[in-house]
Amino acid sequence: MQNLLTKFKESKVVQFFKTNEQVQILKSLLKGNIRQYGMILALILIMIFFAITTNGVSLVPLNITNLLLQNGHILILAVGMLIVILTGNIDLSVGSVAAFVGAIAGIMMIKNDYNWIISSIAALGVGIAAGAWNGFWIAYVKVPPFIVTLGGMLLFRGLTLVVLKGASLGPFPDEFNNISSGFLPDIFGGTTLHILTIVIGIVFGIGYVISVILARRKKIRYNFEVSPLWVTILTSIFVIVAINLFTFTLARYRGFPNISLILFAVIIIYAFITRKTIFGRHIYAMGGNYEAAKLSGVKTKRMMFLIYTNMGLLSAVSGLVYAARLNSSTPKAGNLFELDAIAAAFIGGASASGGVGTVIGAVIGGLVMGVINNGMSLMSLGIDWQQVVKGLVLLLAVWFDIATKNRSK
Amino acid sequence: MSDYILEMKNIVKIFPGVKALDNVNIQVKSGEIHALVGENGAGKSTLMKVLSGVYPHGTYEGKIFFNGEECLFKNIKDSESKGIGIIHQELALVMYLSIAENIFLGNENAKRGIINWDETNRKTIDLLKRVGLSEDPTNLIKNIGVGKQQLVEIAKALSKDIKLLILDEPTSALNDEDSQNLLNLIVELKEHGVTSIIISHKLKEVEAISDSITIIRDGEVIESLDMKKDHVTEDRIIKSMVGRELTNLFPERKAKIGDMMLEVKNWNVDHPMYDRKILKDVHINVRAGEVVGIAGLMGAGRTELARSMFGKSYGKNITGEMYLKGKKVNFKDIPDAIKHGLAYVTEDRKNLGLVLINDIKRNVTLSNLKKLKKNLTIDENKEIVEVEKHVKSMNIKCSSIQQFTRDLSGGNQQKVVLSKWMFTDPEVLILDEPTRGIDVGAKYEIYTIINELAQAGKAVIVISSELPEIIGMSDRVYVVSEGEITAELTKDNVSQEEIMKHIVSVRKEGNQHAKSTN
């Protein structure tokens, strides 16, 4: 036995993995970003698992499209929630705010026949106001966010019931309903394939490569160390393949759903803000050490106010998208949305004490939950078992986070 | 058997990089009041932690004998059960519990987990009587004053049948009357056979009540004296406390003192929560190219002064005028102060200075990200260049600028904080305990940096508890005591004895000061 083990250790394959430079570089890259790659890997594994258990049904174009339609509103919330969680706090009111915004939209469009664009803008304004309400109490009166947003959760749910008088309103005008049920028209007139979608995929792929090349060139001009060229090429190929596989799959059904455009816009804007701007830096600093950030000149009060106000805005976007999808305003809309959004951020690697987490991570976390829901439904396992599994996944993901953190110490 | 209740022999306690206690011997006679004095950081508190089991047996060298018996305490419970009680500077009372609940916390009068409240309250009344307090045992701690809280702490210790009582700065938060009550109580307890060790900076009190005294400096016992036999005076104690030689621990600097940079007049600040004056009529100023030291004990108001100047980040009801280069200024918040060229390096590096879970790069640029702004974004390439420059000039030892600051040594962490403030291009730097918890080599580097800043025409204010540091670095020294400036000393008349005199003889001087301004 011992003999076999040493033989294995000395075998060429093992030696190759131990000594090969390329493998070592990949290894160190993986180690440094185990949380991010781990999340993506977990998502892929879960998708493969369901592809097997459902005989491939989970990966058909229709189902991938459904995944976007079913989870768009949660992913939008997860992005905003991630930013709140980065500060080490929480917002429990988002589901109620989403419901309230949906109700306002319904009353304006359905009851009063206002134009759908004007109504949507007004409804977004209501969401911003609701977020500012939370933000005011949290930032300037210093009531703990948990309490303020728990109050907000009850308050806005109550207001929803008041304005809807307890009944549902529907249906919405077609144009509005189109946000969540429509698809991007194909200007190239494809028949079996949605050509515009494929074109967008290719354009994004090329754009990605150009941005990578530009960033690399700049670094070289500054004389900075850059990762080896083959690593860059490898990751670029991976990203391009992933993007185009995704767009091709969508194209085989009806192309990009409209909601996915809103979703991608939200993800790109907030990933940009958190990663590239001063505002983003200040969020992370504040979450990492509130007092130190304050003494370093970060306007912590104003930041808290803006972050919660922004959460109100994203809750409103989510509420509109959801109302359009249901094609009605109901008093029960948005129930437990807050918990799904919070879970998404945590599964995606955010830390409850603040300062750690990414927008992309939260989106992947939301997708993990969405894929599990969707896959279990396809396996005709009901909402009961879905909840059990989701609970366990949340626990495991955070445990994994803590375990890897302890090891790195 | 000897007549010593406590003997600590050859105690050595080493923290990573620092010898906190170096071969300390101390003997306390049964039934006496023994004073333990020394500067901040001399090792008094460490010694008492060794004695009470906070640092368990095995983490230090040397032997402890209590009543002739060797002690091998594993925790505080062990030392308590032997009859050693310690009352810390910061009271360990739970504000929202009653007096009785606090006294018997962890030591409840209970049968099968159910508390007998009648018994508890009856015992509490007895204990309160012993410390001269007539309060209802069911009163909440938060509703009685600090002086009474202190007495409750003592009652709590007495409830455990204490033979040796250790009091760490018991009167530091008390007014004159409460202090006197407390001191009387300690003398009374002595008559009932309780031995006390009292740690204090107030030498007048020490002189008044103690029978013998041990003076500690830099982790070593300088001398132990019998108060009566050796005719101990305040001057004698001060000399022993500070009597080390000033070696050339400090780099040379030729001061080129320029125009007035920052001036603060009639500065008054109240405690942010209570109606208590923290700073009274403070006047200070600092010129370009000058290093001004602020000496004083912890809690004297040094940090509060610095932070109230730094964009009103401490206190309420701040009144007074501030002039920057002769122009009257009024910073409304911290960003405003930074914009005007102020920088404040906090004494609490880990909790207030750094974002420990962020890397060096992000910490250095945090206070002035505007400098890196390009359109909507932060120019991250320029950021790397800038930060590398600082890491090099400050000689920060790190694997890369992407290393987390929590993984750096104290000295390197401090250099990151200094870099952060250098990145804001300040004109006035306030450094609060800039070398606390830093080893000697890194200290020298920090001093060099301070000198370079002054040489470059910046105005530097250094707050420090270490007198040699204050004297070695400063062109001018203010002494702060109980919220007032009690002395302004120049290079010609500054000495450790002189500073210490103005620190310890506060009360007298403070009253005179108050009279003269009224």
Side-chain angles (χ1 to χ4, degrees):
Chain A
M1 190 65 207
Q2 197 69 34
N3 213 350
L4 220 65
L5 204 70
T6 45
K7 236 183 202 168
F8 173 72
K9 274 184 185 162
E10 282 162 8
S11 73
K12 275 194 179 145
V13 182
V14 174
Q15 286 305 315
F16 172 79
F17 276 105
K18 270 196 171 159
T19 54
N20 185 284
E21 194 192 346
Q22 273 88 340
V23 175
Q24 292 305 317
I25 292 172
L26 272 187
K27 243 181 165 174
S28 68
L29 270 178
L30 276 177
K31 244 189 193 159
N33 300 296
I34 189 155
R35 201 64 185 79
Q36 276 144 346
Y37 294 133
M39 255 354 276
I40 295 172
L41 200 70
L43 180 61
I44 293 172
L45 287 179
I46 291 169
M47 288 179 82
I48 292 172
F49 172 80
F50 283 114
I52 294 167
T53 54
T54 62
N55 291 322
V57 176
S58 70
L59 291 182
V60 300
L62 166 66
N63 194 53
I64 296 291
T65 307
N66 269 342
L67 214 54
L68 286 175
L69 295 177
Q70 285 166 0
N71 295 297
H73 57 280
I74 293 294
L75 295 179
I76 291 167
L77 280 181
V79 170
M81 191 64 81
L82 181 267
I83 294 173
V84 170
I85 287 175
L86 277 180
T87 69
N89 293 300
I90 215 151
D91 190 338
L92 296 173
S93 71
V94 296
S96 297
V97 173
F100 184 53
V101 168
I104 297 288
I107 284 166
M108 289 186 73
M109 279 181 246
I110 299 165
K111 265 202 171 158
N112 297 310
D113 280 328
Y114 284 118
N115 171 289
W116 71 277
I117 295 177
I118 292 171
S119 308
S120 297
I121 292 171
L124 288 177
V126 168
I128 292 172
W133 163 265
N134 284 337
F136 166 75
W137 288 100
I138 291 165
Y140 298 109
V141 194
K142 300 228 180 290
V143 180
F146 191 93
I147 308 292
V148 171
T149 59
L150 183 62
M153 180 178 175
L154 299 169
L155 171 69
F156 294 113
R157 180 65 61 188
L159 286 177
T160 310
L161 286 165
V162 170
V163 294
L164 286 177
K165 301 196 175 70
S168 295
L169 278 179
F172 278 105
D174 288 343
E175 299 94 328
F176 182 73
N177 177 240
N178 210 18
I179 293 176
S180 285
S181 62
F183 290 82
L184 197 63
D186 191 355
I187 49 168
F188 298 111
T191 47
T192 51
L193 270 184
H194 194 276
I195 297 173
L196 179 60
T197 300
I198 292 181
V199 170
I200 290 175
I202 293 170
V203 168
F204 261 85
I206 294 171
Y208 177 80
V209 171
I210 291 176
S211 74
V212 167
I213 292 173
L214 285 180
R216 205 182 151 82
R217 272 208 193 147
K218 226 181 205 166
K219 290 220 153 156
I220 292 171
R221 209 179 321 134
Y222 271 99
N223 266 331
F224 294 158
E225 220 177 292
V226 288
S227 48
L229 191 62
W230 62 268
V231 172
T232 315
I233 292 173
L234 218 66
T235 46
S236 298
I237 290 174
F238 177 80
V239 171
I240 292 167
V241 167
I243 291 177
N244 284 283
L245 205 63
F246 174 67
T247 52
F248 184 71
T249 310
L250 290 181
R252 280 171 58 207
Y253 184 58
R254 292 172 63 185
F256 273 118
N258 289 334
I259 179 181
S260 67
L261 302 180
I262 297 174
L263 176 62
F264 293 144
V266 166
I267 293 172
I268 290 169
I269 290 169
Y270 286 93
F272 175 79
I273 290 174
T274 51
R275 287 177 55 179
K276 297 284 179 194
T277 66
I278 293 178
F279 191 81
R281 274 294 174 86
H282 283 181
I283 296 172
Y284 280 97
M286 214 168 81
N289 187 340
Y290 188 90
E291 286 302 316
K294 194 169 145 191
L295 278 176
S296 299
V298 174
K299 292 185 174 171
T300 44
K301 277 187 200 169
R302 207 180 66 174
M303 296 280 296
M304 286 303 272
F305 178 75
L306 289 176
I307 287 166
Y308 275 92
T309 305
N310 175 64
M311 187 74 251
L313 168 65
L314 286 177
S315 303
V317 174
S318 170
L320 288 179
V321 165
Y322 190 69
R325 188 169 126 73
L326 287 186
N327 207 7
S328 68
S329 305
T330 82
K332 280 201 161 165
N335 225 350
L336 299 185
F337 278 12
E338 53 280 338
L339 298 186
D340 278 338
I342 292 165
F346 285 139
I347 291 175
S351 152
S353 48
V356 178
T358 59
V359 167
I360 303 296
V363 170
I364 292 174
L367 281 175
V368 165
M369 286 203 304
V371 168
I372 290 173
N373 275 348
N374 175 277
M376 289 183 76
S377 299
L378 291 178
M379 290 168 69
S380 45
L381 286 166
I383 193 113
D384 40 5
W385 283 107
Q386 290 178 23
Q387 297 233 4
V388 172
V389 172
K390 271 190 336 193
L392 289 174
V393 167
L394 173 63
L395 200 61
L396 283 176
V398 176
W399 169 71
F400 177 73
D401 201 16
I402 293 167
T404 51
K405 237 184 244 156
N406 284 344
R407 212 176 42 186
S408 68
K409 265 182 199 164
Chain B
M1 240 206 63
S2 59
D3 54 349
Y4 293 121
I5 186 169
L6 173 75
E7 284 182 276
M8 298 179 81
K9 289 186 174 168
N10 308 322
I11 304 290
V12 178
K13 172 75 189 169
I14 297 173
F15 292 113
V18 199
K19 211 172 203 179
L21 294 175
D22 191 359
N23 209 15
V24 169
N25 287 289
I26 183 167
Q27 294 168 318
V28 180
K29 283 194 202 109
S30 198
E32 71 168 352
I33 297 175
H34 193 109
L36 195 58
V37 300
E39 286 179 283
N40 283 336
K44 298 163 299 187
S45 296
T46 311
L47 186 64
M48 290 303 107
K49 281 179 183 166
V50 166
L51 172 58
S52 60
V54 174
Y55 299 133
H57 179 77
T59 62
Y60 57 87
E61 292 166 36
K63 288 186 173 168
I64 303 172
F65 294 93
F66 188 64
N67 276 330
E69 200 183 318
E70 185 171 359
C71 304
L72 310 165
F73 299 138
K74 285 200 267 320
N75 50 45
I76 301 182
K77 271 245 142 96
D78 282 358
S79 65
E80 270 179 3
S81 68
K82 281 273 188 301
I84 299 175
I86 184 160
I87 294 169
H88 291 284
Q89 204 168 345
E90 291 96 28
L91 298 179
L93 296 171
V94 184
M95 288 294 148
Y96 286 88
L97 290 184
S98 72
I99 296 174
E101 283 168 315
N102 266 288
I103 287 180
F104 289 99
L105 189 63
N107 190 21
E108 285 82 1
N109 294 290
K111 229 184 220 164
R112 288 186 215 95
I114 294 162
I115 294 175
N116 183 343
W117 287 112
D118 292 337
E119 172 100 352
T120 303
N121 289 336
R122 191 183 52 73
K123 280 188 180 172
T124 303
I125 291 171
D126 286 350
L127 286 165
L128 292 182
K129 223 180 262 165
R130 278 185 72 188
V131 299
L133 201 59
S134 55
E135 284 282 331
D136 185 339
T138 57
N139 261 358
L140 297 189
I141 288 292
K142 74 177 177 73
N143 293 333
I144 63 176
V146 193
K148 287 179 178 173
Q149 289 175 4
Q150 190 73 260
L151 295 176
V152 170
E153 275 274 17
I154 294 175
K156 184 176 169 183
L158 293 177
S159 76
K160 292 166 189 163
D161 192 21
I162 275 334
K163 296 186 190 72
L164 174 65
L165 186 64
I166 302 163
L167 300 117
D168 191 353
E169 296 274 357
T171 60
S172 65
L174 303 187
N175 62 28
D176 284 338
E177 199 189 326
D178 285 343
S179 296
Q180 203 49 52
N181 279 340
L182 185 84
L183 297 175
N184 290 344
L185 174 64
I186 295 171
V187 173
E188 209 180 296
L189 287 173
K190 176 178 129 181
E191 277 151 25
H192 288 91
V194 177
T195 312
S196 300
I197 296 177
I198 174 167
I199 297 176
S200 181
H201 282 293
K202 296 183 180 168
L203 300 185
K204 284 262 177 321
E205 296 175 3
V206 168
E207 260 189 284
I209 67 162
S210 54
D211 302 304
S212 47
I213 182 168
T214 296
I215 298 148
I216 295 190
R217 187 207 315 150
D218 296 338
E220 291 177 62
V221 169
I222 301 307
E223 52 187 351
S224 277
L225 303 167
D226 188 301
M227 294 299 281
K228 290 206 187 66
K229 251 192 264 166
D230 296 323
H231 304 289
V232 178
T233 61
E234 204 176 308
D235 283 345
R236 168 84 189 269
I237 299 174
I238 289 179
K239 217 170 221 147
S240 291
M241 277 168 74
V242 299
R244 83 174 77 68
E245 294 296 312
L246 272 184
T247 46
N248 60 339
L249 280 167
F250 305 96
E252 283 286 318
R253 170 172 57 91
K254 276 228 171 69
K256 276 186 300 185
I257 295 172
D259 293 338
M260 184 63 74
M261 187 67 93
L262 187 72
E263 219 177 343
V264 171
K265 288 179 179 166
N266 299 316
W267 202 248
N268 283 283
V269 178
D270 287 356
H271 191 281
M273 262 134 73
Y274 311 115
D275 279 327
R276 204 167 80 208
K277 262 207 169 350
I278 296 296
L279 294 167
K280 287 158 244 165
D281 292 324
V282 169
H283 296 252
I284 67 163
N285 61 60
V286 57
R287 292 169 174 273
E290 188 183 32
V291 178
V292 168
I294 297 183
L297 296 175
M298 278 175 228
R302 308 168 311 179
T303 298
E304 291 78 0
L305 171 61
R307 288 190 57 172
S308 62
M309 284 158 62
F310 186 59
K312 298 183 179 155
S313 52
Y314 172 89
K316 65 173 183 207
N317 303 334
I318 298 174
T319 60
E321 300 107 60
M322 192 188 284
Y323 298 88
L324 186 68
K325 291 179 175 170
K327 243 192 255 156
K328 194 167 177 182
V329 285
N330 183 17
F331 305 138
K332 64 180 194 298
D333 55 16
I334 295 168
D336 197 22
I338 295 174
K339 208 165 61 196
H340 281 84
L342 252 70
Y344 169 66
V345 175
T346 163
E347 60 179 333
D348 188 352
R349 199 159 49 235
K350 290 198 164 132
N351 291 316
L352 303 177
L354 290 169
V355 183
L356 290 172
I357 60 168
N358 282 355
D359 58 16
I360 295 174
K361 185 178 67 173
R362 284 177 167 231
N363 272 288
V364 169
T365 56
L366 179 60
S367 286
N368 197 12
L369 284 165
K370 277 199 195 100
K371 206 162 153 184
L372 300 170
K373 199 169 168 183
K374 196 170 96 182
N375 304 325
L376 284 172
T377 64
I378 296 166
D379 186 342
E380 294 185 51
N381 292 319
K382 190 176 168 199
E383 181 178 29
I384 294 171
V385 173
E386 291 278 345
V387 174
E388 293 277 11
K389 241 193 276 170
H390 279 94
V391 166
K392 212 166 174 192
S393 71
M394 291 267 179
N395 192 23
I396 298 172
K397 288 179 199 78
C398 56
S399 56
S400 83
I401 58 170
Q402 266 143 37
Q403 191 175 359
F404 279 179
T405 48
R406 66 159 181 243
D407 299 328
L408 298 173
S409 70
N412 283 311
Q413 284 182 340
Q414 187 68 311
K415 289 186 206 164
V416 172
V417 178
L418 282 170
S419 303
K420 170 170 82 179
W421 290 109
M422 293 316 297
F423 192 66
T424 65
D425 304 316
E427 292 189 276
V428 182
L429 283 108
I430 307 171
L431 312 178
D432 198 347
E433 298 280 6
T435 64
R436 175 184 289 172
I438 291 178
D439 61 69
V440 181
K443 271 186 184 178
Y444 191 87
E445 285 186 273
I446 302 275
Y447 297 144
T448 311
I449 294 167
I450 293 173
N451 279 350
E452 283 166 8
L453 291 174
Q455 221 110 46
K458 319 263 184 210
V460 184
I461 297 173
V462 176
I463 298 170
S464 177
S465 303
E466 292 183 34
L467 298 185
E469 177 172 291
I470 286 276
I471 294 167
M473 290 305 299
S474 316
D475 300 311
R476 201 148 51 86
V477 176
Y478 290 104
V479 182
V480 183
S481 192
E482 303 203 345
E484 295 178 51
I485 302 283
T486 50
E488 180 183 347
L489 307 168
T490 58
K491 255 207 143 69
D492 311 318
N493 62 6
V494 72
S495 67
Q496 300 194 54
E497 287 81 358
E498 190 66 24
I499 293 177
M500 195 48 92
K501 215 187 288 169
H502 289 286
I503 287 177
V504 291
S505 53
V506 187
R507 210 137 256 154
K508 203 172 53 190
E509 299 248 335
N511 287 343
Q512 276 173 4
H513 189 80
K515 261 173 224 152
S516 67
T517 50
N518 279 347

